[in-house]
Amino acid sequence: SDTRSSPKGIKVDGNITINGGTITISATGGEGAEGMESKNIMTVNGGYIEITSYDDALNSASHMYLKGGYIYAVATGNDGIDANGNLNLDGGYIYAAGREEAFDANEQYKLYVNSGVSFIAYGATMGALESGAQLNQTCYSASTYSGGSRYALYNGNQVAFAVTAATISGGGPGFIAGPGGPGGNSAAFVVSSPSSTALKSGVTFSGTTFWTGKGATSATGGSSVTLSQYTDNGGQNPWW
């Protein structure tokens, strides 16, 4: 370990605010290799962000506000998106996947899923959503997750976005690591959109592509994935 470095893609000692543009980050060195880290508040208002990392893909030392844009956050060794304050999902299109959780807020704070966001979230071992989240928009547990498959998330009759799912080792949907599951939250694959959420797998991309070809604005074909309403039991995290 003394001869290995695990640099971060972007690190800022103050706030980070992203309003547009295209950002692509790979930080896969090992523990500590985070994609983008703010030592204070992080805000995303727009743009295309694609991060693949070992440690957290997005991390803020304080609150995080995801308000718009297209965000791809995959962490093969930790959380996809991690805020050490409140984590606010206010809008935009988000694919978050992590070896532990997809969305993680500090134990003393909360994850807020607010009306207007479209997301696909997969947590391989500790659940997709932080336990005790405040769900102001209906969320759904999906029945199956397959790395490498293409999924399309629907908002009503329209595709919100489509993505090629990342392959991450760990438990599958319903994985339980201990009594009651991690933080009492055993759901690992959760999706949500503002209106009439639906999910299809095995789709073909159409429309504009982004995230270096991993995402698309539209899709055709595919098979419907069974969804059931997600209920957070409010357990404390971590369970140990």
Side-chain angles (χ1 to χ4, degrees):
S1 60
D2 291 338
T3 60
R4 184 190 69 210
S5 66
S6 299
K8 305 173 192 298
I10 295 175
K11 177 182 177 181
V12 175
D13 288 336
N15 298 332
I16 291 178
T17 301
I18 298 172
N19 294 315
T22 299
I23 298 172
T24 304
I25 298 171
S26 177
T28 56
E31 185 176 354
E34 294 178 323
M36 183 159 57
E37 180 188 40
S38 165
K39 289 299 185 181
N40 200 0
I41 294 172
M42 182 180 294
T43 304
V44 178
N45 295 314
Y48 295 87
I49 301 170
E50 178 191 347
I51 301 176
T52 303
S53 62
Y54 179 85
D55 213 328
D56 303 332
L58 288 179
N59 179 278
S60 64
S62 183
H63 306 309
M64 187 182 300
Y65 302 91
L66 304 181
K67 300 180 178 182
Y70 291 81
I71 300 171
Y72 176 100
V74 172
T76 59
N78 207 335
D79 301 318
I81 299 177
D82 183 2
N84 288 290
N86 292 324
L87 174 49
N88 301 273
L89 308 184
D90 297 317
Y93 307 92
I94 306 169
Y95 172 71
R99 174 67 175 80
E100 294 187 359
E101 290 179 299
F103 295 111
D104 182 24
N106 185 283
E107 183 180 356
Q108 300 173 348
Y109 295 92
K110 272 191 176 184
L111 165 66
Y112 293 88
V113 179
N114 297 317
S115 179
V117 64
S118 296
F119 71 79
I120 297 174
Y122 176 69
T125 60
M126 293 185 67
L129 306 185
E130 171 73 18
S131 212
Q134 182 166 320
L135 307 179
N136 300 319
Q137 177 173 291
T138 304
C139 298
Y140 298 89
S141 295
S143 59
T144 59
Y145 180 93
S146 179
S149 294
R150 287 180 170 179
Y151 289 92
L153 178 67
Y154 280 76
N155 179 31
N157 295 324
Q158 302 295 319
V159 174
F161 72 100
V163 66
T164 301
T167 299
I168 300 178
S169 62
F175 175 86
I176 299 176
N185 178 357
S186 61
F189 187 21
V190 178
V191 300
S192 184
S193 61
S195 174
S196 301
T197 302
L199 185 71
K200 288 187 177 182
S201 64
V203 301
T204 300
F205 285 176
S206 59
T208 302
T209 59
F210 44 87
W211 296 335
T212 59
K214 299 181 186 71
T217 55
S218 191
T220 58
S223 303
S224 295
V225 176
T226 300
L227 302 179
S228 58
Q229 186 166 339
Y230 170 82
T231 301
D232 189 329
N233 68 10
Q236 295 302 307
N237 196 31
W239 67 271
W240 60 90

